[in-house]
Amino acid sequence: MSYTFEAVIKNKLGIHARIAALLVKTVNKYDAEAYIVFHGDKVNVKHLIDVISLSITQNSVVEINIYGTEAAQCSEESQQLIENSFGEMP
């Protein structure tokens, strides 16, 4: 099973280290592989440094691709995390 969604990063500082770590932690809870695509670069969400290296800024649109047996649950939680600005003020 696979899921793909686009999301707008609303956080003032974009995806910085703490936020990237939250995303990595969320994806690692599931039997799933997740990739984030930004400006043509695709990285594995389970690799913190790779996610940070994308330099995703506020109001950027990213694509998230999730595959695996628990892709639905992983996708749902990841979308919710992003939509809620990772628990930060946008």
Side-chain angles (χ1 to χ4, degrees):
M1 183 89 31
S2 68
Y3 292 83
T4 298
F5 65 92
E6 285 190 347
V8 176
I9 304 303
K10 298 179 266 185
N11 301 71
K12 184 176 180 178
L13 298 176
I15 295 187
H16 53 78
R18 190 188 71 76
I19 287 178
L22 282 173
L23 191 56
V24 170
K25 182 178 179 181
T26 299
V27 170
N28 277 322
K29 293 190 314 188
Y30 298 98
D31 182 20
E33 289 296 321
Y35 297 89
I36 188 166
V37 181
F38 181 64
H39 287 204
D41 293 321
K42 181 178 180 178
V43 301
N44 190 321
V45 176
K46 292 184 177 184
H47 300 146
L48 178 64
I49 298 300
D50 291 344
V51 175
I52 294 170
S53 75
L54 291 174
S55 300
I56 299 169
T57 57
Q58 183 181 32
N59 296 321
S60 293
V61 177
V62 299
E63 179 180 301
I64 309 286
N65 305 303
I66 303 175
Y67 312 91
T69 58
E70 295 181 322
Q73 300 93 319
C74 183
S75 177
E76 183 177 323
E77 188 170 348
S78 297
Q79 279 183 295
Q80 191 171 37
L81 184 67
I82 294 169
E83 286 173 7
N84 292 326
S85 298
F86 301 87
E88 291 185 346
M89 296 293 292

Coordinates of all heavy atoms in Angstrom, one line a residue:
M1 N 0.8 -1.2 0.0 CA 0.0 0.0 0.0 C 0.9 1.2 0.0 O 1.9 1.3 0.6 CB -0.9 -0.1 1.3 CG -1.9 1.0 1.4 SD -3.6 0.9 0.7 CE -4.1 -0.7 0.7
S2 N 0.5 2.3 -0.7 CA 1.2 3.5 -0.7 C 0.3 4.7 -0.7 O -0.8 4.7 -1.1 CB 2.1 3.6 -2.0 OG 1.3 3.7 -3.1
Y3 N 0.8 5.8 -0.1 CA 0.1 7.0 0.1 C 1.0 8.2 -0.3 O 2.2 8.2 0.0 CB -0.4 7.2 1.5 CG -1.4 6.2 1.9 CD1 -1.1 4.9 2.3 CD2 -2.8 6.5 1.8 CE1 -2.0 4.0 2.7 CE2 -3.7 5.6 2.2 CZ -3.4 4.3 2.6 OH -4.3 3.4 2.9
T4 N 0.5 9.2 -0.9 CA 1.2 10.4 -1.3 C 0.3 11.6 -0.9 O -0.9 11.6 -1.2 CB 1.5 10.4 -2.8 OG1 2.4 9.3 -3.1 CG2 2.2 11.7 -3.2
F5 N 0.9 12.6 -0.3 CA 0.2 13.8 -0.1 C 1.1 15.0 -0.2 O 2.3 14.8 0.0 CB -0.5 13.8 1.3 CG 0.4 13.7 2.5 CD1 0.8 14.8 3.1 CD2 0.8 12.5 3.0 CE1 1.6 14.8 4.3 CE2 1.6 12.4 4.1 CZ 2.0 13.5 4.7
E6 N 0.6 16.1 -0.5 CA 1.3 17.4 -0.4 C 1.0 18.2 0.8 O -0.2 18.1 1.3 CB 1.0 18.2 -1.7 CG 1.6 17.7 -2.9 CD 1.5 18.7 -4.1 OE1 0.8 19.7 -4.0 OE2 2.2 18.5 -5.1
A7 N 1.9 18.9 1.3 CA 1.7 19.7 2.5 C 2.4 21.0 2.5 O 3.5 21.1 1.9 CB 2.1 18.9 3.8
V8 N 1.9 22.0 3.1 CA 2.5 23.3 3.2 C 3.2 23.4 4.6 O 2.5 23.1 5.6 CB 1.5 24.5 3.0 CG1 2.2 25.8 3.3 CG2 0.9 24.4 1.7
I9 N 4.4 23.7 4.7 CA 5.1 23.8 5.9 C 4.9 25.2 6.5 O 5.4 26.2 5.9 CB 6.6 23.5 5.8 CG1 6.8 22.2 5.2 CG2 7.4 23.7 7.1 CD1 6.2 21.0 5.9
K10 N 4.1 25.3 7.5 CA 3.7 26.7 8.0 C 4.6 27.2 9.1 O 4.5 28.4 9.4 CB 2.3 26.5 8.6 CG 1.2 26.1 7.6 CD -0.1 26.0 8.2 CE -0.4 24.6 8.6 NZ -1.7 24.3 9.1
N11 N 5.5 26.4 9.6 CA 6.3 26.9 10.7 C 7.2 28.0 10.3 O 7.8 28.0 9.2 CB 7.2 25.7 11.2 CG 6.4 24.6 11.7 OD1 5.8 23.9 10.9 ND2 6.3 24.4 13.0
K12 N 7.4 29.0 11.1 CA 8.2 30.2 10.8 C 9.6 29.9 10.4 O 10.1 30.5 9.5 CB 8.2 31.1 12.1 CG 8.9 32.4 11.8 CD 8.8 33.3 13.1 CE 9.6 34.6 12.8 NZ 9.5 35.5 14.0
L13 N 10.2 28.9 11.0 CA 11.6 28.5 10.7 C 11.7 27.3 9.7 O 12.8 26.8 9.5 CB 12.4 28.2 12.0 CG 12.5 29.4 13.0 CD1 13.2 28.9 14.2 CD2 13.3 30.5 12.3
G14 N 10.5 26.9 9.2 CA 10.5 25.8 8.3 C 10.8 24.5 9.0 O 10.5 24.4 10.2
I15 N 11.5 23.6 8.3 CA 11.8 22.3 9.0 C 13.2 22.4 9.5 O 14.2 22.2 8.7 CB 11.6 21.1 8.0 CG1 10.1 21.0 7.7 CG2 12.1 19.8 8.7 CD1 9.8 19.7 6.9
H16 N 13.3 22.7 10.8 CA 14.6 22.7 11.4 C 14.9 21.4 12.2 O 14.1 20.5 12.1 CB 14.7 24.0 12.3 CG 13.6 24.1 13.3 ND1 13.5 23.4 14.5 CD2 12.5 24.9 13.3 CE1 12.4 23.7 15.1 NE2 11.8 24.6 14.4
A17 N 15.9 21.4 12.9 CA 16.3 20.1 13.6 C 15.3 19.5 14.5 O 15.0 18.3 14.4 CB 17.6 20.3 14.4
R18 N 14.7 20.2 15.3 CA 13.7 19.6 16.2 C 12.5 19.1 15.5 O 12.0 18.0 15.7 CB 13.2 20.7 17.3 CG 12.4 20.0 18.4 CD 11.8 21.1 19.3 NE 10.7 21.8 18.7 CZ 9.5 21.4 18.5 NH1 9.2 20.2 18.8 NH2 8.6 22.2 17.9
I19 N 12.0 19.9 14.5 CA 10.8 19.4 13.7 C 11.2 18.2 12.9 O 10.4 17.3 12.8 CB 10.4 20.6 12.8 CG1 9.7 21.6 13.7 CG2 9.5 20.1 11.7 CD1 9.2 22.8 13.0
A20 N 12.4 18.2 12.3 CA 12.8 17.1 11.5 C 12.8 15.8 12.4 O 12.4 14.8 12.0 CB 14.1 17.3 10.9
A21 N 13.3 16.0 13.6 CA 13.4 14.9 14.5 C 12.0 14.3 14.9 O 11.8 13.1 15.0 CB 14.2 15.3 15.8
L22 N 11.1 15.2 15.0 CA 9.7 14.8 15.3 C 9.1 14.0 14.1 O 8.5 12.9 14.3 CB 8.8 16.0 15.5 CG 8.8 16.6 16.9 CD1 8.0 17.9 16.9 CD2 8.3 15.7 17.9
L23 N 9.4 14.4 12.9 CA 9.0 13.7 11.7 C 9.6 12.3 11.6 O 9.0 11.3 11.4 CB 9.2 14.5 10.5 CG 8.6 14.1 9.2 CD1 7.1 13.9 9.3 CD2 8.9 15.0 8.1
V24 N 10.9 12.3 11.9 CA 11.7 11.0 11.8 C 11.1 10.1 12.9 O 10.9 8.9 12.6 CB 13.2 11.3 12.0 CG1 13.9 10.0 12.3 CG2 13.8 12.0 10.9
K25 N 10.9 10.6 14.1 CA 10.4 9.7 15.2 C 9.0 9.2 14.8 O 8.7 8.0 15.1 CB 10.3 10.6 16.5 CG 9.8 9.8 17.7 CD 9.8 10.7 18.9 CE 9.3 10.0 20.1 NZ 9.3 10.8 21.3
T26 N 8.2 10.0 14.2 CA 6.8 9.6 13.8 C 6.9 8.4 12.8 O 6.2 7.4 13.0 CB 6.0 10.8 13.3 OG1 5.9 11.8 14.3 CG2 4.6 10.3 12.8
V27 N 7.7 8.6 11.8 CA 7.8 7.6 10.7 C 8.4 6.3 11.3 O 7.9 5.2 10.9 CB 8.6 8.2 9.5 CG1 8.9 7.1 8.5 CG2 7.8 9.3 8.9
N28 N 9.3 6.4 12.1 CA 10.0 5.2 12.7 C 9.1 4.4 13.5 O 9.4 3.2 13.8 CB 11.3 5.6 13.4 CG 12.4 5.8 12.5 OD1 12.6 5.1 11.6 ND2 13.3 6.8 12.8
K29 N 8.0 4.9 13.9 CA 7.0 4.1 14.7 C 6.3 3.0 13.9 O 5.7 2.1 14.4 CB 6.0 5.0 15.4 CG 6.5 5.9 16.4 CD 5.4 6.6 17.3 CE 4.3 7.2 16.5 NZ 3.4 8.0 17.3
Y30 N 6.4 3.1 12.6 CA 5.6 2.3 11.7 C 6.4 1.4 10.8 O 7.6 1.8 10.5 CB 4.7 3.2 10.8 CG 3.7 4.0 11.7 CD1 3.9 5.3 12.0 CD2 2.5 3.4 12.1 CE1 3.0 6.0 12.8 CE2 1.6 4.1 12.9 CZ 1.9 5.4 13.2 OH 1.0 6.1 14.0
D31 N 5.8 0.3 10.4 CA 6.5 -0.5 9.4 C 6.2 0.1 8.0 O 5.3 -0.3 7.3 CB 5.9 -1.9 9.4 CG 6.6 -2.9 8.4 OD1 7.7 -2.6 8.0 OD2 6.0 -3.9 8.2
A32 N 6.9 1.2 7.7 CA 6.7 1.9 6.5 C 8.0 2.7 6.1 O 8.9 2.9 6.9 CB 5.6 2.9 6.7
E33 N 8.1 2.9 4.8 CA 9.2 3.8 4.3 C 8.6 5.1 3.9 O 7.5 5.1 3.2 CB 9.9 3.1 3.1 CG 10.7 1.9 3.5 CD 11.9 2.2 4.4 OE1 12.5 3.3 4.2 OE2 12.1 1.5 5.3
A34 N 9.2 6.2 4.2 CA 8.6 7.5 3.8 C 9.7 8.3 3.2 O 10.9 8.3 3.6 CB 8.1 8.2 5.1
Y35 N 9.3 9.1 2.2 CA 10.2 10.0 1.5 C 9.6 11.4 1.4 O 8.4 11.5 1.2 CB 10.5 9.4 0.1 CG 11.2 8.1 0.1 CD1 10.5 6.9 0.2 CD2 12.6 8.0 0.2 CE1 11.1 5.7 0.3 CE2 13.2 6.8 0.2 CZ 12.5 5.6 0.3 OH 13.1 4.4 0.4
I36 N 10.4 12.4 1.5 CA 10.0 13.7 1.3 C 10.6 14.3 0.1 O 11.8 14.1 -0.2 CB 10.3 14.6 2.6 CG1 9.6 15.9 2.5 CG2 11.7 14.7 2.8 CD1 9.6 16.7 3.8
V37 N 9.8 14.9 -0.8 CA 10.3 15.5 -2.0 C 10.2 17.0 -2.0 O 9.1 17.5 -1.7 CB 9.5 15.0 -3.2 CG1 10.1 15.5 -4.5 CG2 9.5 13.4 -3.3
F38 N 11.3 17.7 -2.2 CA 11.3 19.2 -2.2 C 12.3 19.7 -3.3 O 13.4 19.3 -3.3 CB 11.7 19.7 -0.8 CG 11.8 21.1 -0.7 CD1 10.6 21.9 -0.8 CD2 12.9 21.8 -0.4 CE1 10.6 23.3 -0.6 CE2 13.0 23.2 -0.2 CZ 11.8 23.9 -0.4
H39 N 11.7 20.5 -4.2 CA 12.5 21.0 -5.3 C 13.3 19.9 -6.1 O 14.4 20.1 -6.4 CB 13.5 22.1 -4.8 CG 12.9 23.3 -4.4 ND1 13.5 24.5 -4.3 CD2 11.6 23.6 -3.9 CE1 12.7 25.5 -3.9 NE2 11.5 24.9 -3.7
G40 N 12.6 18.8 -6.3 CA 13.2 17.7 -7.1 C 14.1 16.8 -6.3 O 14.5 15.8 -6.8
D41 N 14.4 17.1 -5.1 CA 15.3 16.2 -4.2 C 14.4 15.3 -3.4 O 13.4 15.8 -2.8 CB 16.2 17.0 -3.3 CG 17.2 17.8 -4.1 OD1 17.8 17.3 -5.1 OD2 17.5 19.0 -3.7
K42 N 14.7 14.1 -3.4 CA 13.9 13.1 -2.6 C 14.8 12.4 -1.6 O 15.8 11.9 -1.9 CB 13.3 12.0 -3.6 CG 12.5 11.0 -3.0 CD 12.0 10.0 -4.0 CE 11.1 8.9 -3.5 NZ 10.5 8.1 -4.5
V43 N 14.4 12.5 -0.3 CA 15.2 11.9 0.7 C 14.3 11.0 1.6 O 13.1 11.2 1.8 CB 15.9 12.9 1.6 CG1 16.9 13.8 0.8 CG2 15.0 13.8 2.4
N44 N 15.0 10.0 2.3 CA 14.3 9.1 3.2 C 14.0 9.9 4.5 O 14.9 10.4 5.1 CB 15.2 7.9 3.4 CG 14.4 6.8 4.2 OD1 13.7 7.1 5.1 ND2 14.7 5.6 3.9
V45 N 12.8 9.9 4.9 CA 12.4 10.6 6.1 C 13.0 10.0 7.4 O 13.2 10.7 8.4 CB 10.9 10.7 6.3 CG1 10.5 11.4 7.6 CG2 10.3 11.5 5.1
K46 N 13.5 8.8 7.3 CA 14.1 8.2 8.5 C 15.5 8.6 8.7 O 16.1 8.3 9.7 CB 14.1 6.6 8.3 CG 12.6 6.1 8.4 CD 12.6 4.6 8.4 CE 11.2 4.1 8.5 NZ 11.1 2.6 8.6
H47 N 16.1 9.5 7.8 CA 17.4 10.0 7.9 C 17.4 11.4 8.2 O 17.2 12.3 7.4 CB 18.2 9.7 6.6 CG 18.3 8.3 6.2 ND1 18.3 7.8 5.0 CD2 18.4 7.2 7.0 CE1 18.4 6.5 4.9 NE2 18.5 6.1 6.2
L48 N 17.6 11.8 9.5 CA 17.5 13.1 10.0 C 18.3 14.1 9.2 O 17.8 15.2 8.8 CB 17.9 13.1 11.5 CG 17.8 14.5 12.2 CD1 16.4 15.0 12.3 CD2 18.4 14.4 13.6
I49 N 19.5 13.8 9.0 CA 20.4 14.8 8.4 C 19.9 15.1 6.9 O 20.0 16.2 6.4 CB 21.9 14.3 8.4 CG1 22.4 14.2 9.8 CG2 22.8 15.2 7.5 CD1 22.4 15.4 10.6
D50 N 19.4 14.0 6.3 CA 18.9 14.2 4.9 C 17.7 15.1 4.9 O 17.6 16.0 4.0 CB 18.6 12.9 4.3 CG 19.8 12.0 4.0 OD1 20.9 12.6 4.0 OD2 19.6 10.8 3.8
V51 N 16.8 15.0 5.9 CA 15.6 15.9 5.9 C 16.1 17.3 6.2 O 15.6 18.2 5.5 CB 14.7 15.4 7.0 CG1 13.5 16.3 7.2 CG2 14.1 14.0 6.7
I52 N 17.0 17.5 7.1 CA 17.5 18.9 7.4 C 18.2 19.5 6.2 O 18.0 20.7 5.9 CB 18.4 18.8 8.6 CG1 17.6 18.4 9.9 CG2 19.1 20.2 8.8 CD1 18.5 18.1 11.1
S53 N 18.9 18.6 5.5 CA 19.7 19.2 4.3 C 18.8 19.7 3.2 O 19.3 20.5 2.4 CB 20.6 18.1 3.8 OG 19.8 17.1 3.0
L54 N 17.5 19.4 3.2 CA 16.6 20.0 2.2 C 16.4 21.5 2.4 O 15.9 22.1 1.5 CB 15.3 19.2 2.2 CG 15.3 17.8 1.7 CD1 14.0 17.1 1.9 CD2 15.8 17.7 0.2
S55 N 16.7 22.0 3.6 CA 16.5 23.4 3.9 C 15.1 23.9 3.5 O 14.9 24.9 2.8 CB 17.5 24.3 3.1 OG 18.8 23.9 3.5
I56 N 14.1 23.2 4.0 CA 12.7 23.5 3.7 C 12.3 24.7 4.6 O 12.4 24.7 5.8 CB 11.8 22.3 4.0 CG1 12.2 21.2 3.1 CG2 10.3 22.7 3.8 CD1 11.6 19.8 3.4
T57 N 11.8 25.8 3.9 CA 11.5 27.0 4.6 C 10.0 27.2 4.8 O 9.2 26.4 4.2 CB 12.0 28.2 3.8 OG1 11.4 28.2 2.4 CG2 13.5 28.2 3.7
Q58 N 9.6 28.2 5.5 CA 8.2 28.5 5.8 C 7.4 28.6 4.4 O 8.0 29.2 3.5 CB 8.0 29.7 6.6 CG 6.6 30.0 7.0 CD 6.4 31.3 7.8 OE1 7.2 32.2 7.6 NE2 5.4 31.3 8.7
N59 N 6.2 28.1 4.4 CA 5.3 28.2 3.2 C 5.8 27.4 2.0 O 5.2 27.5 0.9 CB 5.1 29.6 2.8 CG 4.3 30.4 3.9 OD1 3.5 29.9 4.5 ND2 4.7 31.7 4.1
S60 N 6.8 26.5 2.2 CA 7.2 25.6 1.2 C 6.2 24.5 1.0 O 5.6 24.0 2.0 CB 8.6 25.0 1.5 OG 9.5 26.0 1.4
V61 N 6.0 24.0 -0.2 CA 5.1 22.9 -0.4 C 6.0 21.6 -0.6 O 7.0 21.7 -1.4 CB 4.3 23.1 -1.7 CG1 3.4 21.8 -2.0 CG2 3.4 24.3 -1.5
V62 N 5.8 20.6 0.1 CA 6.5 19.4 0.0 C 5.6 18.2 -0.3 O 4.4 18.3 -0.1 CB 7.3 19.0 1.3 CG1 8.3 20.1 1.7 CG2 6.3 18.8 2.5
E63 N 6.1 17.2 -0.9 CA 5.4 16.0 -1.2 C 5.9 14.9 -0.3 O 7.1 14.7 -0.2 CB 5.6 15.6 -2.7 CG 4.8 14.3 -3.1 CD 5.0 14.0 -4.5 OE1 4.7 14.8 -5.4 OE2 5.6 12.9 -4.8
I64 N 5.0 14.1 0.3 CA 5.4 13.0 1.1 C 4.9 11.7 0.5 O 3.7 11.6 0.2 CB 4.8 13.1 2.6 CG1 5.1 14.5 3.2 CG2 5.3 12.0 3.4 CD1 6.5 14.7 3.6
N65 N 5.8 10.7 0.3 CA 5.4 9.4 -0.2 C 5.7 8.4 0.8 O 6.8 8.3 1.4 CB 6.3 9.1 -1.5 CG 6.2 10.2 -2.5 OD1 5.1 10.5 -3.0 ND2 7.3 10.7 -2.9
I66 N 4.7 7.6 1.1 CA 4.8 6.6 2.2 C 4.4 5.2 1.6 O 3.3 5.1 1.0 CB 4.0 7.0 3.4 CG1 4.4 8.3 3.9 CG2 4.1 5.9 4.5 CD1 3.6 8.9 5.1
Y67 N 5.2 4.2 1.9 CA 5.0 2.8 1.4 C 5.1 1.9 2.6 O 5.9 2.1 3.5 CB 6.0 2.5 0.3 CG 6.2 3.5 -0.7 CD1 7.2 4.5 -0.6 CD2 5.4 3.5 -1.9 CE1 7.4 5.4 -1.6 CE2 5.6 4.4 -2.9 CZ 6.6 5.4 -2.7 OH 6.8 6.3 -3.7
G68 N 4.4 0.8 2.5 CA 4.6 -0.3 3.5 C 3.3 -0.8 4.1 O 2.2 -0.2 3.8
T69 N 3.4 -1.8 4.9 CA 2.2 -2.4 5.5 C 1.4 -1.4 6.5 O 0.2 -1.6 6.6 CB 2.5 -3.7 6.3 OG1 3.5 -3.4 7.3 CG2 3.1 -4.7 5.3
E70 N 2.1 -0.5 7.1 CA 1.5 0.5 8.0 C 1.5 1.9 7.4 O 1.4 2.9 8.1 CB 2.1 0.5 9.3 CG 2.0 -0.9 10.1 CD 2.6 -0.9 11.4 OE1 3.7 -0.3 11.6 OE2 2.0 -1.5 12.3
A71 N 1.5 1.9 6.1 CA 1.6 3.2 5.4 C 0.4 4.1 5.7 O 0.5 5.3 5.8 CB 1.7 3.0 3.9
A72 N -0.8 3.5 5.8 CA -2.0 4.3 6.1 C -1.9 5.1 7.4 O -2.2 6.3 7.5 CB -3.3 3.5 6.0
Q73 N -1.5 4.3 8.5 CA -1.4 4.9 9.8 C -0.3 5.9 9.8 O -0.4 7.0 10.4 CB -1.1 3.8 10.8 CG -2.2 2.8 11.0 CD -1.9 1.5 10.1 OE1 -1.4 1.6 9.0 NE2 -2.2 0.4 10.6
C74 N 0.8 5.6 9.2 CA 2.0 6.5 9.1 C 1.6 7.8 8.4 O 1.9 8.9 8.8 CB 3.1 5.8 8.4 SG 4.6 6.8 8.4
S75 N 0.9 7.7 7.3 CA 0.5 8.8 6.5 C -0.5 9.7 7.3 O -0.3 11.0 7.3 CB -0.2 8.4 5.2 OG -0.7 9.5 4.5
E76 N -1.4 9.1 8.0 CA -2.4 9.9 8.8 C -1.7 10.7 9.9 O -2.0 11.9 10.0 CB -3.4 8.9 9.4 CG -4.5 9.6 10.1 CD -5.6 8.6 10.7 OE1 -5.9 7.7 10.0 OE2 -6.1 8.9 11.8
E77 N -0.8 10.0 10.6 CA -0.2 10.7 11.7 C 0.8 11.8 11.2 O 0.9 12.9 11.8 CB 0.6 9.7 12.6 CG 1.1 10.4 13.8 CD 1.7 9.5 14.9 OE1 1.4 8.2 14.8 OE2 2.3 10.0 15.8
S78 N 1.5 11.5 10.1 CA 2.4 12.5 9.5 C 1.7 13.7 9.0 O 2.1 14.8 9.3 CB 3.2 11.8 8.4 OG 4.0 10.8 8.8
Q79 N 0.5 13.5 8.4 CA -0.3 14.6 7.9 C -0.7 15.5 9.0 O -0.7 16.7 9.0 CB -1.5 14.1 7.1 CG -1.2 13.8 5.7 CD -2.4 13.4 4.9 OE1 -3.0 12.3 5.2 NE2 -2.8 14.1 3.9
Q80 N -1.2 14.8 10.1 CA -1.7 15.5 11.2 C -0.6 16.3 11.9 O -0.8 17.5 12.3 CB -2.3 14.5 12.2 CG -3.1 15.2 13.3 CD -3.9 14.1 14.1 OE1 -3.4 13.0 14.4 NE2 -5.1 14.5 14.6
L81 N 0.6 15.8 12.0 CA 1.7 16.4 12.6 C 2.1 17.7 11.8 O 2.3 18.8 12.4 CB 2.9 15.5 12.6 CG 4.2 16.0 13.3 CD1 4.0 16.2 14.8 CD2 5.3 15.0 13.0
I82 N 2.1 17.6 10.5 CA 2.4 18.7 9.6 C 1.3 19.8 9.7 O 1.6 21.0 9.8 CB 2.7 18.3 8.2 CG1 4.0 17.4 8.1 CG2 2.8 19.5 7.3 CD1 4.2 16.7 6.8
E83 N 0.1 19.3 9.6 CA -1.1 20.3 9.6 C -1.1 21.0 11.0 O -1.6 22.2 11.0 CB -2.4 19.5 9.4 CG -2.6 19.1 8.0 CD -3.8 18.2 7.7 OE1 -4.6 18.0 8.7 OE2 -3.9 17.7 6.6
N84 N -0.7 20.4 12.0 CA -0.7 21.1 13.4 C 0.7 21.8 13.6 O 1.0 22.1 14.8 CB -0.9 20.0 14.5 CG -2.4 19.5 14.4 OD1 -3.3 20.3 14.0 ND2 -2.5 18.3 14.7
S85 N 1.4 22.1 12.6 CA 2.6 22.8 12.7 C 3.6 22.2 13.6 O 4.4 22.9 14.3 CB 2.4 24.3 13.0 OG 1.6 24.9 12.0
F86 N 3.6 20.9 13.7 CA 4.6 20.2 14.6 C 4.5 20.6 16.0 O 5.5 20.6 16.8 CB 6.0 20.3 14.1 CG 6.2 19.8 12.7 CD1 6.0 20.6 11.6 CD2 6.6 18.5 12.5 CE1 6.2 20.2 10.3 CE2 6.8 18.0 11.2 CZ 6.5 18.8 10.1
G87 N 3.3 21.1 16.4 CA 3.1 21.6 17.8 C 3.7 23.0 18.1 O 3.7 23.5 19.2
E88 N 4.2 23.7 17.0 CA 4.7 25.0 17.2 C 3.7 26.0 16.6 O 2.8 25.7 15.9 CB 6.0 25.2 16.4 CG 7.2 24.5 16.9 CD 8.4 24.8 16.2 OE1 8.4 25.4 15.1 OE2 9.5 24.5 16.7
M89 N 3.9 27.3 17.0 CA 3.0 28.3 16.4 C 3.5 28.6 14.9 O 4.7 28.6 14.7 CB 3.2 29.6 17.2 CG 2.7 29.6 18.6 SD 0.9 29.3 18.7 CE 0.4 30.9 18.1
P90 N 2.6 28.7 14.0 CA 3.0 28.9 12.6 C 3.6 30.3 12.4 O 3.5 31.2 13.2 CB 1.8 28.7 11.8 CG 0.6 28.7 12.8 CD 1.2 28.5 14.1

